[in-house]
Structures are given as structure tokens and as C-alpha cells.
Amino acid sequence: MKTLGLVVPCYNEQDVIRLFYDEVTKVISSLNASYSCELVFVDDGSTDKTLPILQTLAQMDPSVKYISFSRNFGKEAAMLAGMKYAVKFDYIGILDADLQHSPSLLVDMLRYVDEEGYDVAAAKRVDREGESRLKSSLSNTFYKISNKVSEVNISDSAQDFRIMRKKVVEAVLEMPEKIRFSKGIFSWVGFNVKWIEHENRERAAGQTKWSIKKLFRYAVDGILGYTNMPLKLSFVCGGLFFLITLALLIYALVKYLILLDYNATLPLILSAMFFIGGVLLMFLGILGEYLARVYTETKSRPVYIISQTNTIPDYTMPDYLKGE
Ligand code: UDP
Ligand code: MG
């Protein structure tokens, strides 16, 4: 019997979890009887009734597992925790709890990985329905920049919605970084991917958890995580501006010392100074961003902390994590 684990990150999804559960169990029961399937809900520190609902579901249905975090650690952390547990299955799927990722697509995905020899079957969106204009144009810009400068190519329509073989998830878990950008990681590990077009649905209930600010942070992580280009850019710009100022300096010196023209020099030198100052600050900022990442990675803190789960029998949160 082949096994399938479906990882579902949930953050304040009380309005939609039951709907999701009903729809996804329908899909699972329509699958060939040769699969055994578990649902792995990761409650990312929800402050609403998400956890009690998951616990009730788990009591009713032994194939429901939940992992509940001590606070909100973000979707990346939730996916990581889910994959760490689900890596024991033959196939591992990831999908959102809000039904924007149609569970019915799982059937096709499973066919591609199980029967057609693909390692990954992932959804690619054909539209951005149900998303604000500003959000979709910002994210288009991000993917354009990112693909120009990064060593991995991330399709602007690629989604986290996917089914992977065990070996792919093992490769993803091999990556030790704490600041995780799954779209980059999934692309970086490679493997044989089947892209399936998928129309984005409206959220079934509840609200999006991604503010523009959160998305911006995510975009910066995505770019800085996969390229050193901004650092090189600072070197190239620094060199260029050095040459320009050198030329300016020679020009000013010639005017000042040989032509004895004392009028033109001050504005010239002042503007050059401010210009260089600005550029220096800008690249210090870029350096700072990389340094901050090195700092975070070397602290090597856990990506998430589990407070309750039924995936480990009799789990109690270790005292040293309770901060008591
Ligand atoms: N999510 C999460 N932690 C967060 C934010 C979101 O686990 O901090 C989950 C959320 O419950 C949902 C999925 O990630 O299942 C996608 O989030 P959302 O629907 O808010 O994002 P959008 O679809 O608007 O991009
Ligand atoms: Mg959503």
C-alpha cells in the first residue's frame, strides 16, 4: 500500500477548516484504494478556534494529525514542520487550508508522480483572480527582478501547491537554512517537475494572512537568499563612482590651479560628495541585510516550536522551550 501525507499550514482558519476537511476527504475517498492517506495540519500559532477544531477532527478521524506551534512562525515554518513529519510517507503533498488550492487537483498530481514517473507535480496559476491589483503587480515585479539576478529560476506563477516524492522532500529537508524561502528551495533542489495549470479560486472563507509588508519581507528573503548579485553590484558601482569622482577631481583641480576659476568648484564638489555619500549608505544597507542573515543563521535558533501535537505520542513541550 502506498502512503500519502498532505501538509496543510493553517493560521486563523477557523471558518474554513471544516469545509476544507470535507472537500479533501471526499477527494481522498475517491482515490484508488491502494493509497493510505494522512492529513497533517500545522496550526501556525492561531489565536482563534483553529486548534480546538483540529483536535476534534483528530478525535473523529485517526488519519488527521496536527502540529500546533507556540506562536505564529509563518507559513514557511509550518510547511517545514509538516514536511519533517510527512517525510515518512511515499508521497508528500502541500496545500493551503483556504480551498484556493482545489483539492480535486491532487488526483491528477498523484497520477503524475505515481504513474508517469515525475518526481514532483506542482501547480502553476493561470490567473491571479481573488488578489488585489497592487499585490499582483508588486509580485510580478519581484519575480522579474529575482529571475534576472538569482541563480535559481522561480516561475512567477509557481505555487507551493504540490505533491512530491519522498526523495524530493528529503532533499528539501537537507537544506539547513533557517530563513526559508520555499519557492527558491523547491527550484534549487531540481528534480523532474510536472507543472499543472491551476485557476486560482477565491478564498472559501476567512481572510488572507499576507500583508504587503509581509510579502515585501518575503521578496527580500527570496532575492538575498539566492544571489550575491547585490554585493557585486555594490563593488561595480563603487568602482564606477570612484572613477567619476577621480575625473571630477582632476577637472576641478585643473580649473582651480591652472585656470584659476574659483566659482565652479564648490557646487561641483558638494554634489559629488552628497552623491557618493548616498551611494555608500545604500550599499552599506545591502551589506547590512546580508550580515543580518548571517547573524540569524549563526544563532541557529529553531525555525518553530511545537506546543502540542498528536504526531508524537504523549508529547509535552520541553521545559526549556516554555521559557518558565
Ligand atoms: N499561513 C500560515 N501562517 C502564516 C500565514 C499563512 O500557516 O503566517 C497559511 C494560511 O492559513 C493558508 C496558507 O498559509 O493556509 C496561505 O495563506 P493565505 O491564504 O493567507 O495567503 P494567500 O493565499 O492570500 O497568498
Ligand atoms: Mg490563500
Side-chain angles (χ1 to χ4, degrees):
M1 191 129 157
K2 286 168 187 155
T3 54
L4 169 69
L6 293 176
V7 174
V8 190
C10 320
Y11 177 47
N12 292 345
E13 301 286 9
Q14 62 178 16
D15 299 329
V16 74
I17 289 225
R18 273 173 196 282
L19 283 173
F20 173 84
Y21 174 79
D22 290 344
E23 198 161 319
V24 93
T25 37
K26 245 184 248 156
V27 172
I28 291 171
S29 56
S30 77
L31 284 176
N32 188 323
S34 59
Y35 293 103
S36 107
C37 185
E38 269 191 24
L39 282 169
V40 186
F41 290 97
V42 186
D43 162 37
D44 184 12
S46 300
T47 48
D48 64 357
K49 300 220 162 52
T50 300
L51 180 60
I53 295 174
L54 291 178
Q55 286 168 326
T56 321
L57 287 177
Q59 270 167 6
M60 281 166 26
D61 179 351
S63 70
V64 170
K65 298 286 183 269
Y66 63 87
I67 299 169
S68 177
F69 289 171
S70 62
R71 65 168 170 84
N72 180 238
F73 283 92
K75 187 186 174 189
E76 288 293 331
M79 290 196 292
L80 180 66
M83 284 191 284
K84 270 195 187 162
Y85 170 74
V87 70
K88 64 179 187 175
F89 299 112
D90 298 322
Y91 303 108
I92 295 96
I94 301 180
L95 72 169
D96 284 359
D98 57 9
L99 288 173
Q100 280 185 304
H101 296 164
S102 333
S104 55
L105 202 65
L106 290 170
V107 180
D108 282 343
M109 288 183 169
L110 204 56
R111 202 188 63 236
Y112 281 117
V113 289
D114 194 23
E115 287 163 27
E116 303 200 8
Y118 287 96
D119 297 317
V120 181
K124 211 178 178 131
R125 74 174 120 204
V126 286
D127 56 22
R128 282 184 168 269
E129 211 174 292
E131 231 180 53
S132 77
R133 263 253 183 88
L134 179 65
K135 211 162 151 181
S136 52
S137 79
L138 281 177
S139 80
N140 281 338
T141 322
F142 158 69
Y143 286 109
K144 272 207 192 105
I145 297 177
S146 167
N147 286 335
K148 278 241 161 62
V149 302
S150 286
E151 61 197 57
V152 296
N153 207 22
I154 308 166
S155 154
D156 80 335
S157 46
Q159 296 186 302
D160 296 330
F161 184 19
R162 58 187 56 228
I163 286 186
M164 297 166 279
R165 275 174 199 272
K166 184 205 274 292
K167 65 177 179 190
V168 179
V169 176
E170 280 168 351
V172 168
L173 296 178
E174 273 298 301
M175 306 198 46
E177 59 242 62
K178 305 287 174 183
I179 303 170
R180 300 186 75 87
F181 181 73
S182 283
K183 285 201 170 96
I185 293 177
F186 289 146
S187 159
W188 195 91
V189 296
F191 292 104
N192 192 358
V193 183
K194 170 71 191 174
W195 291 103
I196 305 173
E197 297 220 321
H198 170 244
E199 291 212 12
N200 225 18
R201 284 205 267 165
E202 294 270 351
R203 228 175 196 284
Q207 277 186 341
T208 175
K209 312 296 177 305
W210 292 88
S211 59
I212 298 274
K213 191 175 149 204
K214 237 175 159 179
L215 279 173
F216 184 72
R217 245 359 279 172
Y218 191 64
V220 173
D221 283 346
I223 290 184
L224 299 195
Y226 289 89
T227 177
N228 295 328
M229 179 76 166
L231 286 174
K232 286 185 206 141
L233 194 72
S234 99
F235 182 76
V236 172
C237 283
L240 204 68
F241 293 131
F242 174 75
L243 290 179
I244 293 173
T245 27
L246 198 69
L248 278 176
L249 195 71
I250 294 171
Y251 171 78
L253 279 176
V254 168
K255 267 198 142 183
Y256 193 82
L257 295 177
I258 301 174
L259 303 178
L260 301 174
D261 172 4
Y262 303 126
N263 288 330
T265 45
L266 190 63
L268 198 76
I269 287 173
L270 273 183
S271 59
M273 258 175 58
F274 283 118
F275 183 64
I276 296 299
V279 170
L280 274 177
L281 280 180
M282 188 172 111
F283 287 108
L284 266 181
I286 293 180
L287 270 176
E289 283 287 332
Y290 277 98
L291 195 67
R293 270 164 186 72
V294 174
Y295 180 56
T296 313
E297 295 288 351
T298 52
K299 274 192 292 189
S300 196
R301 292 193 177 155
V303 178
Y304 53 81
I305 293 169
I306 296 173
S307 82
Q308 290 181 57
T309 178
N310 67 346
T311 59
I312 308 163
D314 302 323
Y315 178 85
T316 48
M317 194 170 163
D319 288 339
Y320 68 92
L321 288 180
K322 286 181 186 157
E324 281 162 358

